Amino acid sequence: MLRLVGVFLVVSILASAAHAQRMVQVAPETEHKPLVTPPKLIRFVEAAYPGTEGEEPIEAVVELDIVVGKDGLVTEASVARSAGEGFDAAALAAARQFVFEPARKDWEPIASRVRYRYVFELQEPPEEMTTGWLSGAVLLAEDDSPAGMVTIEILNERNELIREIVSGPAGTFVATDLEPGKYEVNILGGEYGNLEVEEEIVAGQVTQVIYRLGAKKKSAYRGFGETAVIEAPPREVVKRTIDKEELTRIPGTRGDALRAVELLPGVARPPFGIGLLIVRGSAPQDSESFIDGVPVPLIYHFGGLTSIYNSYMLEKIDFYPGNFSVRYGRRTGGILEVTTRDPARDRIHGVAEISIIDTFVTLEGPITDKISISGGLRRSLLDLVFPAVAPDDIGIRQAPVYLDYQFKLNFWPTKRDRVRISAYGSNDRLDLILEEAAGDDPAIRGNTQLATSFYNNQIDWTRRVGEKVEQELAFNVGPNKIKFALGNEFRLEGTFIQTYGRGEWRYQITDRVRLIAGLDVYTAPVDLTYVGPQPQAQEGAGSQQGSLAGQEQVFADVDTTLFRPGVYLESDMQLGKVTRLILGLRVDHFSEINATSVDPRLTTIFTVAEDMRVKLGVGIFSQPPELQESDPGIGNPGLDPIKAVHLGAGWEYDALPGARFGIEGFYKYLWDRAISTPNGEEPFYVTGGIGRIYGAEFSIHIRPATGRQYFGYLSYTLSRSERKDGPLEPWRLFDFDQTHILTAAFVYNFPRNWEIGGTFRVVSGNPSTPVIGSIYDALNDVYIPIDGRVNTLRNPLFHQLNVRVQKKWIFDGWKLAVFVDIQNAYNQQNQEGIIYNYDFSQQTPLLGLPIIPSLGIRGEL
């Protein structure tokens, strides 16, 4: 009964304020009436009195219709009753900066419309203000809902805490009377992660901001940007930071943020989606993936279904398709940098999920006020379903199984220091018996084994040394193991003990000049045994790529240590208001070929307008040959480092709030590629291959800054990648050349926590080499194919639709979600290659993966 009385009083007050001419009916006790509270103005902005030259100042009243969003910010304002053009414009300009406590319906924030009377009163001229304000709202990046009561610390340039405030239930906050200058703003988001942002306060002005906290990452938006985290300006021509809160919801990824990398411009689609990273026409081994600044041997489990690090423990993913900073070396393709999330410091949190593909659990929370930990474990469920779908001629000793784990401990000894101790690893296993020969290669039969694993153990220390110097140190050690066997004809087994250390120092010399110096050292004792045909270059090998039939076996026992130190220096200079100039130099040494490379790089960024940037870059990049190419037993230790020059130009335009357009043009020239000698003669490999890659990328990212429940991506890449395997050889297409790559994704969050999205891809088929005949090898009783010109055919156009539907229930203290993620929703039979019969006289298309539905349930604490 008290609830009904309260409802009656609230509705009566609202009706009276709006001069409503209707009676309010009190519902019977059995009928539920929502509790509605009106918006409340918590920050008023004084309008500038309009100019009235030659006239006496007057008082005036402008009535405005204002729409207040559920975040408390004004989304629309219009004049309901005019007082003249000058007064109307001034009132509208001021009202659009108002901040409200939003209206609520049953305590949930809702959008509302109010009538506001703006009165211009004649007053004595105000004294000049000597302080400024910081005002805004803290929202959740996932759905733009208010973050609630969040602690906000404001520190001055001497790192002294001068203000500590708590945002209201709608996430809004105001800090008044701040002295002009730069401040560090720390938002303590609890389970949604902490955020550290630098703001500048100007006397007499209100700095209005919107901060967004990601449930599994730190992120802040000021307006809209493709780069979601406010940090040091990028040091590359193209840097794409993946907003994980969006990309875990991309259809076809099963909520895996790293799987969403393949949707970015410039990333080619690997055959069968097996998880290779093919960036701007470069070979997979030309690109590298890092986790918290440390290189990892692989980023996906076999088959590419899932990445090796749980997405709910990630903070952000940075992708550099080319012209990357001198911080990264030893690669000529692209860089994928994965940053993990700090464990929660407020309370215990956890996520558990089970689907047809795998199951995982994560847990995190504080130990003390300065120590927090997190951990995760995942195991595949494929071994439960694979025996039921495997062909009858395949015996199964060990069905495919993968698992991964993550552990992290964070320690904050002082406000200037952070120490992280982490351990993570991955293990994949598969063991089959092939009773029949595999495809067109009769040598592939019998026992087939695949086992890969790596275990990284890392400690890093970040310290702010004084006011202008930052230091970052990291050390990692862990074993990598591989075991791969195909019948009796091929066997590879090895262990690599990877040790990696990095130190970086950043010195802010002046407000316009920053200097960065660093060193990193990679060492790896290698113990490897190989039995199989003499290794040769696989890319561009035509139909003989990976063939074992009729080839003479060799044996190699590799016992060596790789030692690859590198140092780098970079300067970042702001030249005037428009131009930023980044100059870098990197020096690397490769012990296996006793060679040193010197790589200069240059990037220039022009801010031609507040919402428009033009970027230009050029640089030299180097990487060592592959281990089998430089080993003295099966390769040539006299090879040179592979070199590449990157040229790039980019244009970005924030055309509308929440919409960014981008165009990137690129050109790469490769030289000193390792190529096979004729007929596999010693020294097996020589330096002499070249390559060229060129193209353009177009992208649109739509994500309204506030108040919308959808986001979308559209990207198109037009490119060509070619290789030349010697001075007298013709130019040919690269094995993974894909002329056209079109990707469109759209996700909409409907009422009642329903979410539906789709991803559509159209990609040129990969090139292939025609077989024009065969020769019978009587000694080995096999037919050897005769190839036509390499990569002069192409598979048909690939196209696929992925769909994801999710329903979420939100309870007190936890959430439950049920989802279905469908890959290849209309079951398109895409051709991935060609299979030949025993004498290569007949061929059959090799089809890609069929429709794959994945049903799952997830709980979050």
Side-chain angles (χ1 to χ4, degrees), residues 762-801:
V762 179
V763 183
S764 298
N766 285 323
S768 62
T769 300
V771 174
I772 60 177
S774 64
I775 299 175
Y776 179 65
D777 180 357
L779 181 63
N780 295 287
D781 191 26
V782 296
Y783 283 83
I784 307 299
I786 301 174
D787 285 350
R789 290 187 59 186
V790 174
N791 290 343
T792 53
L793 297 181
R794 190 182 286 276
N795 290 329
L797 192 71
F798 172 95
H799 55 94
Q800 179 174 294
L801 173 67

Side-chain angles (χ1 to χ4, degrees), residues 130 267 529 532 634:
T130 60
V267 180
T529 301
I634 54 178

